[in-house]
Amino acid sequence: TMAESNDPPSTTAPTAIVGIDLGALTTKITLGQKYDHELVRNAEGGHTTPTAATFSGKHRARLLGEDAAEMSRADGNTVGMLDRLLVDSLKSDADNDDEDALAAFRRFQLLTSNEQTLPKVYIPNMEEEYSTTALMGMLLGRVKRNVIATIARLEGGKSSDNFGNLHFVFAIPPSYPQSTRNALMDAAFAASIPNSSVVDSTKCMAAVYERKFGDVEIENLEKVVLVVEMGHARSCVSVMKQIVPNKTEESKESADSGSMNDGTTGSKVEVLSTVSSPTLGAGLIDLSLYHHFLATHPSLSHHTPETIKTNSRPAQRLVEGCRKLKHLLSMLPENTVTVENVGKNETDINLTCSRELMSQLCQESVIDKLKAMIELAIEKAGGKDALGEIESVEITGGGSRIPMVQEAIRNAIGKGDDFVFARSLDDTSLAFGASLIGIPSLAGEDTEVVLDAKRDEHRAQLLEAEAAMSQRDVQLLQKDEIRNHIEAHILELRSARHSKHGSLLPSSDDFTSYLDGTDDWLFSEDCDEATLEQMEEKWNSIQTKTQDVCGEYLAAKKDEADQKDREMEQEAQLAAAERQAEAAMNGDDEVEDHDNRRLPTKRRMEIVMKNKNEANELFSDRNYRHAAARYAKALTHCTKFFDLSPVEEQEVKDVKLSLYLNIALAYIKLEKMDNALQSCNDALKLDETNGKALYRRATVLYQKRKFDDAIKDLKKAEKLAPRDKAVQKLRKLVDQQVEKQKKKEMAFAKKMFG
């Protein structure tokens, strides 16, 4: 069937239709018509959710979707490309090699079975095996939470308890077998989504195209459209025909095979043919570059297939470097990237490549196969003579943005370099189309799915296991929150000795020993094994103890904080009054940044510097909050320059760099480390060798206890400024913390293994 559903008979309308495109790297999600097909954001605000899951250990919550480790840095406890693990056989419609080349680079352990079942994955941190269906159910549980959060936001913050009745619609390639379709719906059931459907991706594309061009007024129009989608690990080519009949025919029944029209528009879109490959994707370009550099790069000559296995950390870093190089070559004809710690003696190496070389390397593995898919799709649609002119080519997916891929498409259909691709379909089109189609049974689709007793039992087991894991995650996250409170409390008391009120702290060895003992307990097996109730008791006892011995210090700190809050409130009131006065002078109702004037460069720079100078004064007065706001305003004005000369561009770049460094310092003073980290990252995008930006980011990473990352920045800063005392001092502090952490890990290992 073209569409399948596991809907139980129900008279209750779903809260929302949710269209889902499960990609190899990321998953895109959109809501249905009720919410105007809103794109679902993840918990970090991103528009996609990584198709991955990380297991940090028996005493840590699962990290799902956007929380999972990046695949380039992952180990055997992170499972990526979850959608592909549900496919028991990667068969292509084209006469292509069906070997999944990306599978060799997996770092997790896939356990295959002789039985007719999907494989399992062994997770070392958990000492457990999980079925691939269960892993997908874990990811869909995270997707569900993101969907509910998005709906709650759109509903004005209503209680999320009202948004549980969802219907998931998955867009999947036509080549995916029935076992995959069943596994997806079973995984949704495990995530407490009893209502779900599976629809072919080509129908989703057709639905979107018809939605965008359904109101065409030209009668008797028959336009042939080629749609080429290339993702990271799969590709699909479709030939569609857009038909606009005579007005006298518009009222006739329009239930033609493959048509997405519901009779409400004058235009219909018919799918004439589809050819899909579950193994051809842009990821193969990364691997072609990987094998090329491994065979030819002088600094990699010491490696053999035995010394750098495809699932090793160095291989992952090299593939990631090749992926970055591929992206850069989509914008420039030649480029270079640096890959850390893969050369001799773990040295950094530079990878340089041109578009021409990349095309040569990918001729057989990518270009020829894509052209064969396009030719087969045209042949299945009736051939070039029957189809006539292909008037439009829609390209979508990350791979379609690569110049050599676009050239291959043009060559396959006999078009020249001047042929312009249509871009009406974007990377969210599959999810959008799935949400447009909605519940297949309501659209007249055959949705019958057999649920026998064995499958019902399997689903019940999946649901029970996921519910238990979710409850475990909740408790472990609560434990982590208490652990963080304790760690921050102890760290504050340790570092407070030299603070303003440090003289109020006890100076006895007993107090120091108490802090050391509490710190050691945080890294002990007892802490890991403690229940939530025991953690709460421990935190309460620590607060009671420190209140008894540090009462004067804690009271002084509270008074200081209260005074600061009062001052900030007064400053806020004063700033509001100033804004109202400024608005009255300008005759405006509000003083928002609506300055979209095309001012001369000199005048715009004067505004930027005025805000920067005011921010500097505020910073000098320790008014960090308002200083940060002024720096941000100056940065906003930096986006409003136009028609700059190269000299002017460099001047604006230098000012922006200074502003990012200043606002980062303001955020550090305000203890807003996430904001500070982002500002440092922005500064380093402008100048990756800026020593001050590296030092500042290392400071933030130290505060966030990300010591390994801090050391990387400090090493770079030391090369730039070997005698900088601030860098040397911070490096010493970081090294002390790393050494301390190693000792605790060794002590813990000794307890574990004797």
Side-chain angles (χ1 to χ4, degrees):
T1 58
M2 292 291 287
E4 296 154 80
S5 169
N6 67 359
D7 290 356
S10 174
T11 58
T12 304
T15 302
I17 302 295
V18 183
I20 300 177
D21 169 23
L22 290 163
L25 298 181
T26 61
T27 294
K28 293 89 172 175
I29 310 137
T30 64
L31 300 179
Q33 184 176 2
K34 180 178 179 180
Y35 294 103
D36 197 26
H37 303 283
E38 177 80 8
L39 194 63
V40 173
R41 299 186 180 188
N42 63 39
E44 297 174 354
H47 289 167
T48 62
T49 299
T51 313
T54 295
F55 297 82
S56 301
K58 295 181 179 180
H59 305 294
R60 294 290 184 273
R62 298 170 298 176
L63 302 175
L64 306 173
E66 58 269 29
D67 292 333
E70 292 183 21
M71 294 309 300
S72 60
R73 300 179 181 178
D75 58 16
N77 296 294
T78 294
V79 186
M81 300 191 185
L82 292 174
D83 65 315
R84 298 178 71 74
L85 302 183
L86 298 180
V87 187
D88 54 6
S89 178
L90 294 172
K91 295 296 181 183
S92 172
D93 297 333
D95 186 19
N96 290 335
D97 182 6
D98 294 325
E99 181 184 355
D100 184 9
L102 298 174
F105 290 81
R106 293 172 181 155
R107 301 205 71 198
F108 55 88
Q109 185 178 355
L110 195 65
L111 308 174
T112 56
S113 171
N114 294 328
E115 301 176 8
Q116 296 298 316
T117 58
L118 292 172
K120 294 185 176 182
V121 176
Y122 177 73
I123 305 297
N125 272 352
M126 305 298 289
E127 297 181 339
E128 291 280 354
E129 298 174 4
Y130 298 98
S131 72
T132 53
T133 306
L135 290 167
M136 178 57 73
M138 297 176 192
L139 175 68
L140 294 180
R142 183 54 187 259
V143 168
K144 178 184 177 182
R145 290 192 289 276
N146 290 342
V147 167
I148 290 174
T150 300
I151 294 175
R153 174 174 57 83
L154 296 174
E155 291 282 1
K158 290 183 181 178
S159 171
S160 60
D161 296 338
N162 302 322
F163 310 132
N165 184 23
L166 305 172
H167 186 108
F168 279 12
V169 185
F170 298 98
I172 66 169
S175 61
Y176 276 15
Q178 186 63 44
S179 58
T180 299
R181 299 163 186 258
N182 291 343
L184 265 178
M185 291 187 283
D186 292 348
F189 190 87
S192 299
I193 304 290
N195 305 322
S196 64
S197 311
V198 176
V199 295
D200 285 352
S201 57
T202 50
K203 299 195 73 176
C204 296
M205 286 295 189
V208 175
Y209 196 85
E210 190 168 275
R211 167 70 175 257
K212 290 178 178 289
F213 300 102
D215 57 353
V216 174
E217 297 293 337
I218 305 173
E219 293 187 32
N220 294 321
L221 171 70
E222 288 195 4
K223 184 170 97 172
V224 177
V225 181
L226 179 70
V227 180
V228 180
E229 177 207 358
M230 178 179 280
H232 180 73
R234 66 182 189 229
S235 297
C236 187
V237 178
S238 302
V239 179
M240 302 180 185
K241 181 182 285 187
Q242 182 186 13
I243 304 170
V244 182
N246 294 326
K247 290 184 178 179
T248 56
E249 298 177 355
E250 287 186 6
S251 58
K252 294 181 180 180
E253 189 69 29
S254 59
D256 297 336
S257 174
S259 171
M260 296 307 303
N261 185 266
D262 59 4
T264 61
T265 68
S267 173
K268 299 187 295 291
V269 175
E270 182 181 350
V271 179
L272 301 180
S273 69
T274 299
V275 176
S276 63
S277 170
T279 57
L280 175 62
L284 294 183
I285 300 173
D286 308 337
L287 302 194
S288 295
L289 292 170
Y290 167 87
H291 291 299
H292 165 72
F293 287 120
L294 198 58
T296 63
H297 200 292
S299 296
L300 296 173
S301 60
H302 64 294
H303 281 307
T304 66
E306 288 71 31
T307 61
I308 182 168
K309 296 189 179 299
T310 52
N311 63 350
S312 67
R313 185 63 63 86
Q316 298 289 330
R317 284 197 291 265
L318 189 55
V319 169
E320 181 63 19
C322 293
R323 183 175 297 125
K324 291 178 180 178
L325 187 56
K326 173 188 68 180
H327 290 159
L328 290 171
L329 290 174
S330 295
M331 297 177 282
L332 296 169
E334 184 172 339
N335 222 304
T336 300
V337 298
T338 301
V339 183
E340 297 180 348
N341 304 329
V342 295
K344 294 179 181 178
N345 301 318
E346 296 189 350
T347 56
D348 301 346
I349 67 169
N350 291 328
L351 306 180
T352 300
C353 188
S354 65
R355 285 180 180 174
E356 182 180 2
L357 175 58
M358 186 169 73
S359 296
Q360 293 172 2
L361 296 173
C362 299
Q363 184 67 45
E364 292 184 9
S365 61
V366 178
I367 296 174
D368 290 348
K369 290 183 178 181
L370 179 60
K371 290 170 69 174
M373 287 180 64
I374 295 171
E375 291 166 359
L376 180 58
I378 293 173
E379 180 184 336
K380 291 174 68 175
K384 291 183 179 180
D385 293 339
L387 287 176
E389 183 73 12
I390 296 177
E391 299 182 46
S392 177
V393 177
E394 294 280 354
I395 57 175
T396 182
S400 69
R401 290 188 280 271
I402 300 172
M404 71 175 185
V405 172
Q406 296 180 359
E407 183 182 1
I409 297 171
R410 290 190 181 97
N411 291 340
I413 60 174
K415 301 291 185 181
D417 293 341
D418 58 343
F419 180 79
V420 179
F421 294 107
R423 299 180 185 273
S424 305
L425 304 175
D426 59 26
D427 292 352
T428 64
S429 291
L430 287 181
F432 180 26
S435 67
L436 277 172
I437 293 173
I439 305 174
S441 59
L442 299 181
E445 296 284 354
D446 175 13
T447 63
E448 182 180 356
V449 174
V450 178
L451 292 175
D452 55 24
K454 183 177 180 180
R455 188 171 170 193
D456 275 337
E457 181 182 358
H458 175 58
R459 284 181 158 211
Q461 291 171 348
L462 288 170
L463 179 64
E464 182 180 359
E466 177 56 24
M469 289 285 280
S470 296
Q471 181 60 34
R472 167 187 170 277
D473 286 346
V474 170
Q475 292 187 351
L476 288 174
L477 287 172
Q478 290 174 335
K479 276 186 60 177
D480 283 344
E481 186 176 359
I482 295 173
R483 191 198 310 262
N484 290 338
H485 284 317
I486 295 174
E487 190 171 11
H489 188 62
I490 298 303
L491 185 62
E492 179 194 352
L493 292 176
R494 282 189 186 283
S495 59
R497 179 71 61 192
H498 305 291
S499 67
K500 180 179 178 181
H501 305 292
S503 60
L504 300 175
L505 287 169
S507 56
S508 65
D509 292 340
D510 290 343
F511 179 64
T512 302
S513 297
Y514 176 76
L515 296 181
D516 290 341
T518 305
D519 212 7
D520 291 340
W521 180 84
L522 286 171
F523 292 88
S524 70
E525 185 177 354
D526 289 342
C527 180
D528 286 337
E529 299 289 349
T531 64
L532 179 60
E533 291 75 15
Q534 290 171 333
M535 288 291 288
E536 290 172 341
E537 290 176 5
K538 182 71 173 180
W539 176 219
N540 290 334
S541 69
I542 291 171
Q543 288 177 293
T544 301
K545 173 71 173 179
T546 53
Q547 183 64 45
D548 287 343
V549 298
C550 309
E552 291 184 49
Y553 167 80
L554 295 173
K557 285 282 292 180
K558 184 177 183 306
D559 289 343
E560 184 181 27
D562 291 344
Q563 178 62 27
K564 187 175 181 180
D565 287 342
R566 287 192 292 271
E567 291 174 355
M568 290 177 64
E569 178 63 27
Q570 291 173 357
E571 290 171 0
Q573 292 174 357
L574 179 60
E578 290 175 353
R579 286 195 299 270
Q580 290 177 358
E582 184 178 347
M585 290 178 62
N586 296 334
D588 297 332
D589 293 329
E590 55 181 351
V591 188
E592 297 266 342
D593 181 20
H594 298 310
D595 185 358
N596 295 317
R597 298 170 294 172
R598 290 173 64 85
L599 294 176
T601 300
K602 182 179 179 182
R603 175 61 184 137
R604 182 63 72 185
M605 184 58 76
E606 288 174 354
I607 297 174
V608 171
M609 297 309 296
K610 177 177 179 292
N611 280 280
K612 181 184 178 184
N613 293 334
E614 289 176 357
N616 289 342
E617 291 180 12
L618 290 165
F619 190 94
S620 298
D621 293 336
R622 298 187 179 182
N623 192 343
Y624 305 124
R625 185 183 299 273
H626 289 97
R630 281 293 178 184
Y631 287 132
K633 191 171 183 179
L635 282 165
T636 300
H637 282 288
C638 283
T639 65
K640 299 175 182 179
F641 290 99
F642 66 96
D643 295 341
L644 297 175
S645 68
V647 174
E648 289 170 335
E649 283 184 359
Q650 186 59 47
E651 181 184 5
V652 172
K653 180 180 177 181
D654 292 341
V655 171
K656 286 175 67 176
L657 179 61
S658 174
L659 287 168
Y660 280 128
L661 290 171
N662 290 354
I663 198 172
L665 186 57
Y667 283 135
I668 291 172
K669 295 291 186 180
L670 290 167
E671 298 183 1
K672 290 188 173 184
M673 296 304 165
D674 290 337
N675 301 69
L677 181 61
Q678 182 59 55
S679 297
C680 292
N681 290 339
D682 290 335
L684 288 165
K685 286 178 184 177
L686 294 174
D687 181 4
E688 62 182 9
T689 62
N690 187 277
K692 189 177 289 186
L694 289 166
Y695 168 73
R696 238 156 243 174
R697 188 166 71 175
T699 301
V700 175
L701 293 169
Y702 171 71
Q703 293 294 332
K704 292 172 73 69
R705 300 185 68 78
K706 294 184 177 181
F707 303 126
D708 290 342
D709 291 336
I711 288 175
K712 289 180 182 178
D713 281 349
L714 288 170
K715 283 182 178 179
K716 294 176 182 177
E718 286 171 340
K719 289 180 182 179
L720 296 167
R723 298 181 181 179
D724 191 306
K725 292 184 178 179
V727 173
Q728 294 172 358
K729 182 178 179 181
L730 181 58
R731 178 63 190 272
K732 184 177 180 181
L733 290 173
V734 174
D735 287 343
Q736 288 174 348
Q737 289 296 326
V738 170
E739 185 63 27
K740 186 176 181 181
Q741 195 166 311
K742 285 181 179 178
K743 288 181 180 179
K744 290 178 179 178
E745 289 173 356
M746 290 175 62
F748 177 67
K750 189 174 181 181
K751 289 181 181 178
M752 286 282 290
F753 305 109

